[in-house]
Amino acid sequence: MDVQRAREQLFQKDETFGFIEREEALHAFLSADVPAGQAERAVSALEFILSRLSCPAEPEGIVGRMVEGPVPYEMEPVAGNGFSHVGNPFQPRTRCAGHLTLDLKDLLSKGLSGIVREMEAHAESDAQKQYAAYCRRAVEAVKSFCLRYADSAERAGNTHAAEALRTVPYGPAYDFFSAVQSIWMIEWVLSCVTGGRDFAYGRLDLVLLPYYRKEEDPANYEVLLSFLLKNNEIGGMNSDLLNMQPVPCTGTNIYAMLGGKGAEEALPLSLLILRAAEEVHLMQPVLALRIAKDSPKEWKLAAARVTQNLSGQVSFYNDDAIIPNLLDLGFTEEHALNYTMSGCNRADFPGHMSSDMYDNAPACLLRAFMDPEVTDMDGILRRFREEMEKEAGRKMGCVYTDPETDPRFFFESLFLRGCPERVRDIENGGQDQWTLVHHLCGLATAGNSLAAIEKAVFEDHVLTLPEFRELVKNNFETDPKLHLFIRNRYPKFGNDDPFADHWTRVACEIMVDAVRSLNGTDGSGHIHIPGLYSLWFHHRFGEALGATPDGRLAGEPISENQSPVYGTDREGIAALLHSLGSLPMEKTGCGGLNVRLQSRLPEEMLSAMVDTYFEMGGVNIAVDVVSRETLIDALEHPERHQTLCVRIVGYSEIFVRLPRYMQQELIDRTPLTA
Amino acid sequence: MKGLITRIQRFSTTNGPGLRTTVFMKGCPLRCLWCHNPETQKMKRELLYYEETCTRCGSCAEACPKGVHIFQDGKHVFLRENCVLCGACADVCPVRALELSGEEIEAEELVTRLLRDRAFYEHSGGGITLSGGEPLFQPAFTEEVLRRCKAEGIHTCVDTSGAGVSCDTVARFTREGLADLWLYDLKETDEERHRAATGVPFTPILRNLETIGEAHGKLRLRCPVIPGVNDREEHMEKIGEIAEKVPGVLAIDLVPYHRLGLVKAEALGEQQKTFEALPETRKKALLGRLQEKTDIPSSWI
């Protein structure tokens, strides 16, 4: 397989092109009599679109590709319609828009037909029978499409794909190739046809292991190469915030979890996937590598090698922290052991829908600090806790419609636990809402602010609390010298400084406890999982927030993920990790830490660093290796760095295709040297 | 026992095996033309002033009891000769343009700080490295730090120039197992050139190296290669010959010139000569010449 050529084609493709055949099919579908009712409309649209798509096939490897071309319609994309220019017959949707981990085991062992047969057998009520019939129509449509694709593959000389597609995904997978082909076809239909992004594979090595065992063939490596390349074909190569490709799965981030407890037997396959990912060297899928203290040395070293070679595509998750943390939050042993990650940094479980929300800690702290009734630190902390509890307790809408009166059909329901058993779509309550991940934003800003208040007002008596409030309210304009001093010289989180770390720990306890206190008390039935993660909300929240006591000015971003405020961690990686290790990570279930190394470390050293950090209780760490000088050069000479991948918040992107403010943020991220 | 240090660098990967913490100690008998750490040369505290960082806010002038910081026509004039090194200005500088170099520290306190990263050492086969400056310039302090580290089971390296110290001391350190590994500088192998480049003779350095080898010490040679000073084939050959002759040499590191010392020298009010970087082809040729003389592993770091 010519990986180099495939990569070049991806980098050269026109990012203004949409899935033209889908658009045309949608146009034709919506121009005729459109059935009323979401379920009937969605199934009919799926049937119609699949019948109209052509089947471009490569001569080798797995197949499944969208024809792309300029979208002829003059109009702008229809808002909220996943970049269709003509409308979206799959609407309305309240919950299903991707961002979940598919349960692929049943797909591979039973095939679509097996899943639907069970639904038909379980269906009792009219609504269930009707739903089973919708599912039957959908899988038959997929089957017909795959048979056409098989013929096309045959014509292209790809007998392997032709043979596979005559069986899967309709029937069970029978070897490694067919298993991978089956998974891709489902990912592809969900992402490109019905339209959604971030459908994660879960523990990919374990999912594929039975088929890998059947046939340990050197050709498996080539299959993986073609599969990994395909993951990069569909969502566009541009940043999901700039020049997004006008396709329904634009900017998709497809997470694959590898290794960890329970995957020991899959080690050869896990390593093979890593090797293939290194050769493909693109952004998708995002690799989440589970590491336990007793993981094989070979796995740890390979992980350390790959994370530096792929620079940003990889992150490590600590089994020894996350599994007990999830058990403590109330998950079963089976779930905790099989945790996975989807959509950036969400603790997830195959086949379960979860939701997430972003909680703004610095805004809560600022409200507490500004309360004129408060006169001491205890008062500030009490008010901060109240504000955090309010913030975390915001209600998340979760509306199921009645299957009798408003039946729904979403293709992904076939891969979600509960829906096949209940014979009910996810939007009709096929699965109970189960987990809600709270991404707690701005930890370091909050911690540094508490430290600054304590030091300035209560320890050094530089100014009184009302004076400090006034100074913060006027954006530090009345005392620029004190502002500089607070900003640059006051203790800051991330330096193994006991004072700053203490106050950051205090902030962190309040933040995570506000989330955990909802468990079993808010009447939602959800398990609320706290995690320290910000995605891009550190910008959004920062823009709307006034100055904070740590010296951050109004409008500046709050701190990102678990990171210190950029530029304030001056003592290097060991100090940074000690600071993080002092946080109550055992109360969290996920979260992200990005560190950027100025230059490569030997694999043994990086692995030792991760082991040490995880022993301290760290939950996650992602390392990318790119020097500040390289980033600055890429900013000035983008033509020289067309393929430079960098870690952003929870995944990687091509540096030169990011908006300028993000590029600057990455340059500002403290480079760590060793 | 107190010692004088400039800084503690945690998570260092180039000063011995594994992940290490390196202590840079103050005081050095050498005056190398290219010195990478000029703030470590003198055995006393010093104030570094980074002019480019200064915002001319005037905080230092307000704090200074001796009036050594003067602001004239928007310029910050630092009267170094009148400075009593109290550090009041560095404490209040909001942008760290002023930095007091030289911290007096008890050996026990230093070791407590070093033990903070014990887990990193244990996971990586690392430990601590005493560097500088010249750690053997403060022999009693260095000895106490090393003894305490050994008592804690921590791997120790001493990064030394081998100058200004007696054979007896290095022999004793080696025999008593205080230094698990010596990072031993070979800056120049020609006697006259050595004096010209560093200000001290080479012969005693060579003798100390041999003493360590004979006492069954483990050695890693560290050879800064400075264009126009010692980037000669015959120097490389000589390094190879010495490495072959002295027992216990495990590896040879060629250390490229870098300019970080320039900024610090300027901040100390000193002038340092600048050198160009060696082209990659030249680096390769010099390493090749060294490797012709010895099979001991060698590389550029």
Side-chain angles (χ1 to χ4, degrees):
Chain A
M1 174 149 299
D2 191 345
V3 172
Q4 193 52 36
R5 189 158 166 270
R7 290 185 79 232
E8 280 166 18
Q9 283 173 348
L10 282 168
F11 279 106
Q12 284 161 7
K13 80 174 193 171
D14 191 325
E15 294 281 298
T16 65
F17 284 6
F19 294 157
I20 182 62
E21 289 183 346
R22 180 184 188 267
E23 287 290 289
E24 285 166 357
L26 270 180
H27 188 253
F29 178 78
L30 294 169
S31 303
D33 284 340
V34 180
Q38 188 275 345
E40 179 62 37
R41 191 166 62 242
V43 176
S44 304
L46 179 62
E47 290 172 324
F48 189 84
I49 296 169
L50 284 175
S51 73
R52 294 285 185 107
L53 293 178
S54 62
C55 306
E58 294 81 3
E60 58 181 338
I62 61 159
V63 299
R65 178 154 60 87
M66 269 289 177
V67 172
E68 295 183 11
V71 181
Y73 308 105
E74 293 297 319
M75 57 181 132
E76 290 292 304
V78 179
N81 275 347
F83 268 114
S84 169
H85 286 64
V86 291
N88 187 345
F90 302 102
Q91 296 278 41
R93 60 168 83 219
T94 55
R95 293 185 57 208
C96 306
H99 246 78
L100 57 87
T101 301
L102 300 167
D103 185 359
L104 296 169
K105 282 193 174 162
D106 280 0
L107 168 74
L108 297 187
S109 63
K110 300 174 186 169
L112 293 173
S113 57
I115 296 171
V116 172
R117 252 200 318 276
E118 285 180 15
M119 292 168 87
E120 288 164 341
H122 287 132
E124 287 171 2
S125 70
D126 288 348
Q128 285 176 314
K129 285 177 186 160
Q130 180 60 61
Y131 183 62
Y134 286 137
C135 291
R136 168 60 67 186
R137 279 171 59 192
V139 303
E140 294 298 331
V142 172
K143 179 189 179 186
S144 304
F145 176 69
C146 289
L147 291 175
R148 275 204 296 124
Y149 227 122
D151 293 343
S152 168
E154 187 94 60
R155 285 193 296 277
N158 190 342
T159 49
H160 219 152
E163 189 190 324
L165 283 171
R166 290 193 175 113
T167 303
V168 295
Y170 189 75
Y174 54 87
D175 65 1
F176 191 71
F177 188 103
S178 65
V180 177
Q181 179 67 71
S182 183
I183 290 173
W184 177 247
M185 203 41 95
I186 294 308
E187 176 80 23
W188 183 82
V189 170
L190 288 171
S191 304
C192 304
V193 181
T194 58
R197 48 175 288 184
D198 304 354
F199 291 100
Y201 299 126
R203 305 185 75 177
L204 187 61
D205 44 7
L206 282 182
V207 168
L208 288 173
L209 183 62
Y211 309 92
Y212 181 72
R213 274 206 190 119
K214 268 187 195 169
E215 188 202 21
E216 285 194 32
D217 182 338
N220 290 344
Y221 181 68
E222 298 283 314
V223 178
L224 286 170
L225 288 178
S226 71
F227 170 68
L228 296 173
L229 281 164
K230 286 248 164 253
N231 280 264
N232 292 279
E233 278 181 7
I234 61 174
M237 300 287 278
N238 279 329
S239 163
D240 70 346
L241 292 172
L242 187 75
N243 301 328
M244 297 162 83
Q245 189 172 2
V247 295
C249 52
T250 191
T252 189
N253 283 304
I254 308 168
Y255 280 65
M257 198 99 195
L258 301 172
K261 285 190 189 293
E264 292 80 2
E265 282 180 42
L267 181 65
L269 176 57
S270 316
L271 293 169
L272 194 70
I273 296 172
L274 286 190
R275 201 150 60 77
E278 271 176 297
E279 185 170 347
V280 169
H281 200 163
L282 288 165
M283 288 92 69
Q284 303 298 330
V286 183
L287 299 176
L289 309 186
R290 285 175 48 161
I291 305 270
K293 191 174 181 183
D294 54 5
S295 290
K297 187 88 184 154
E298 198 182 355
W299 173 244
K300 291 182 178 180
L301 291 178
R305 182 191 77 233
V306 170
T307 195
Q308 298 193 90
N309 285 346
L310 292 179
S311 202
Q313 190 187 348
V314 179
S315 64
F316 299 110
Y317 288 89
N318 182 4
D319 273 4
D320 297 314
I322 296 176
I323 293 171
N325 296 358
L326 293 173
L327 287 172
D328 188 48
L329 281 163
F331 290 99
T332 64
E333 204 154 314
E334 190 220 333
H335 282 122
L337 186 64
N338 287 306
Y339 80 88
T340 177
M341 292 284 155
S342 71
C344 281
N345 232 313
R346 179 202 275 177
D348 209 350
F349 308 91
H352 286 282
M353 282 295 288
S354 63
S355 305
D356 40 19
M357 58 195 275
Y358 290 81
D359 297 345
N360 184 346
C364 294
L365 178 64
L366 194 58
R367 285 197 290 275
F369 170 69
M370 287 297 180
D371 184 343
E373 304 290 315
V374 170
T375 55
D376 58 12
M377 204 58 176
D378 284 347
I380 292 173
L381 297 181
R382 194 175 52 247
R383 285 283 293 110
F384 180 32
R385 192 170 294 119
E386 286 166 12
E387 291 292 335
M388 271 316 299
E389 283 170 1
K390 257 191 262 170
E391 177 84 357
R394 286 171 294 148
K395 295 290 175 221
M396 280 287 291
C398 174
V399 185
Y400 301 124
T401 56
D402 183 344
E404 305 281 345
T405 56
D406 186 5
R408 299 290 175 91
F409 172 81
F410 288 90
F411 189 48
E412 51 265 52
S413 298
L414 270 76
F415 316 102
L416 294 176
R417 288 190 192 176
C419 297
E421 292 82 355
R422 292 183 188 179
V423 202
R424 190 186 281 196
D425 192 78
I426 185 76
E427 297 256 340
N428 289 135
Q431 184 182 92
D432 296 329
Q433 163 84 34
W434 195 42
T435 61
L436 179 57
V437 177
H438 292 251
H439 301 294
L440 298 159
C441 305
L443 170 69
T445 301
N448 290 345
S449 292
L450 284 177
I453 297 165
E454 172 70 10
K455 184 170 165 60
V457 179
F458 302 109
E459 280 199 352
D460 295 354
H461 306 287
V462 176
L463 70 189
T464 65
L465 194 52
E467 284 167 350
F468 201 3
R469 284 190 190 116
E470 246 347 271
L471 186 62
V472 171
K473 205 185 284 179
N474 69 40
N475 207 21
F476 293 95
E477 279 168 14
T478 45
D479 195 341
K481 226 189 267 185
L482 181 59
H483 172 241
L484 265 186
F485 198 76
I486 290 174
R487 192 176 168 110
N488 295 322
R489 299 298 304 270
Y490 265 36
K492 295 286 190 287
F493 174 71
N495 294 296
D496 198 15
D497 176 296
F499 187 82
D501 291 354
H502 165 76
W503 287 107
T504 307
R505 190 164 57 247
V506 168
C508 191
E509 294 269 3
I510 290 173
M511 290 158 69
V512 295
D513 285 349
V515 176
R516 291 173 67 99
S517 69
L518 297 169
N519 284 327
T521 61
D522 72 336
S524 69
H526 308 160
I527 297 181
H528 297 264
I529 306 176
L532 298 161
Y533 182 67
S534 67
L535 187 62
W536 292 107
F537 282 80
H538 56 294
H539 283 279
R540 199 182 297 178
F541 288 161
E543 273 168 26
L545 189 67
T548 39
D550 61 332
R552 178 193 143 278
L553 294 173
E556 287 188 317
I558 59 173
S559 59
E560 171 249 348
N561 287 9
Q562 299 176 352
S563 298
V565 173
Y566 290 149
T568 62
D569 49 328
R570 306 167 56 86
E571 299 296 325
I573 308 172
L576 169 65
L577 298 182
H578 271 294
S579 287
L580 283 150
S582 73
L583 298 174
M585 294 287 190
E586 71 282 359
K587 293 185 173 183
T588 66
C590 52
L593 170 68
N594 294 318
V595 297
R596 199 176 81 220
L597 295 178
Q598 184 76 358
S599 55
R600 286 181 72 99
L601 281 180
E603 284 151 30
E604 294 80 7
M605 304 295 148
L606 186 72
S607 178
M609 178 187 95
V610 173
D611 277 346
T612 308
Y613 179 50
F614 281 2
E615 203 172 80
M616 293 174 188
V619 162
N620 160 271
I621 186 168
V623 179
D624 80 351
V625 185
V626 56
S627 73
R628 190 179 148 84
E629 294 70 32
T630 303
L631 294 181
I632 291 171
D633 195 57
L635 200 64
E636 289 164 2
H637 305 285
E639 71 286 355
R640 295 181 195 161
H641 302 275
Q642 287 298 304
T643 62
L644 174 66
C645 283
V646 287
R647 180 91 187 165
I648 52 166
V649 283
Y651 48 96
S652 65
E653 298 237 42
I654 297 167
F655 182 77
V656 298
R657 299 184 183 206
L658 288 168
R660 180 66 188 240
Y661 76 94
M662 286 186 202
Q663 292 175 326
Q664 192 57 49
E665 171 170 319
L666 289 167
I667 290 171
D668 292 344
R669 186 180 286 173
T670 314
L672 297 165
T673 52
Chain B
M1 167 65 64
K2 277 188 175 173
L4 195 60
I5 66 170
T6 60
R7 76 191 161 103
I8 298 172
Q9 183 193 37
R10 301 164 70 173
F11 205 87
S12 86
T13 55
T14 52
N15 294 313
L19 299 172
R20 310 191 72 81
T21 299
T22 302
V23 182
F24 291 89
M25 297 175 59
K26 238 175 165 330
C28 183
L30 277 67
R31 292 293 177 268
C32 302
L33 297 173
W34 60 89
C35 180
H36 286 165
N37 296 312
E39 79 285 9
T40 62
Q41 289 182 358
K42 293 179 187 144
M43 192 54 205
K44 61 167 193 167
R45 299 170 98 186
E46 288 173 278
L47 190 71
L48 287 86
Y49 165 52
Y50 297 97
E51 190 177 356
E52 285 193 5
T53 310
C54 176
T55 60
R56 319 288 190 260
C57 73
S59 297
C60 51
E62 289 167 25
C64 180
K66 298 288 177 187
V68 306
H69 298 286
I70 298 166
F71 289 83
Q72 281 175 344
D73 307 327
K75 277 194 178 167
H76 178 176
V77 180
F78 171 38
L79 305 172
R80 189 180 291 275
E81 59 282 8
N82 297 341
C83 175
V84 293
L85 300 169
C86 69
C89 58
D91 285 347
V92 299
C93 177
V95 290
R96 292 189 168 87
L98 291 157
E99 179 192 344
L100 196 63
S101 177
E103 178 190 358
E104 259 200 1
I105 187 167
E106 283 286 347
E108 188 180 1
E109 156 70 10
L110 176 58
V111 173
T112 304
R113 285 208 226 164
L114 297 177
L115 289 175
R116 179 82 175 143
D117 287 338
R118 176 178 221 142
F120 285 102
Y121 315 150
E122 287 174 354
H123 278 290
S124 67
I128 66 109
T129 299
L130 300 184
S131 180
E134 171 52 63
L136 297 176
F137 209 68
Q138 303 180 56
F141 177 70
T142 291
E143 181 171 343
E144 188 179 340
V145 173
L146 292 174
R147 274 194 200 289
R148 285 176 180 274
C149 287
K150 290 318 299 173
E152 292 286 345
I154 304 290
H155 182 274
T156 56
C157 283
V158 177
D159 183 0
T160 180
S161 66
V165 60
S166 71
C167 287
D168 289 351
T169 303
V170 293
R172 194 167 54 77
F173 271 48
T174 308
R175 275 199 310 272
E176 294 182 15
L178 294 177
D180 292 310
L181 178 68
W182 293 89
L183 305 177
Y184 204 97
D185 293 358
L186 279 189
K187 297 171 197 275
E188 177 54 82
T189 44
D190 174 271
E191 182 63 45
E192 280 316 303
R193 288 177 189 269
H194 195 282
R195 275 180 196 274
T198 69
V200 301
F202 177 55
T203 309
I205 291 175
L206 184 58
R207 203 179 309 128
N208 278 338
L209 176 68
E210 289 162 350
T211 304
I212 293 170
E214 283 155 15
H216 306 294
K218 288 182 186 161
L219 289 150
R220 191 170 182 114
L221 301 183
R222 310 264 276 181
C223 310
V225 183
I226 313 299
V229 176
N230 60 5
D231 57 333
R232 306 183 317 281
E233 275 79 357
E234 56 270 34
H235 175 49
M236 293 295 127
E237 288 172 5
K238 194 80 182 136
I239 292 170
E241 285 166 17
I242 292 170
E244 283 292 316
K245 196 174 128 219
V246 174
V249 176
L250 305 177
I252 307 167
D253 298 326
L254 298 185
V255 184
Y257 170 70
H258 65 68
R259 296 187 173 202
L260 291 179
L262 278 178
V263 183
K264 291 189 275 187
E266 199 179 316
L268 288 162
E270 295 165 1
Q271 292 242 310
Q272 194 183 70
K273 197 169 167 1
T274 57
F275 301 89
E276 294 305 314
L278 272 183
E280 287 302 315
T281 49
R282 183 78 186 131
K283 284 169 77 174
K284 211 170 155 186
L286 289 170
L287 180 62
R289 187 57 72 92
L290 171 63
Q291 289 172 341
E292 281 172 21
K293 285 285 170 186
T294 179
D295 293 332
I296 294 170
S298 58
S299 63
W300 284 93
I301 60 166

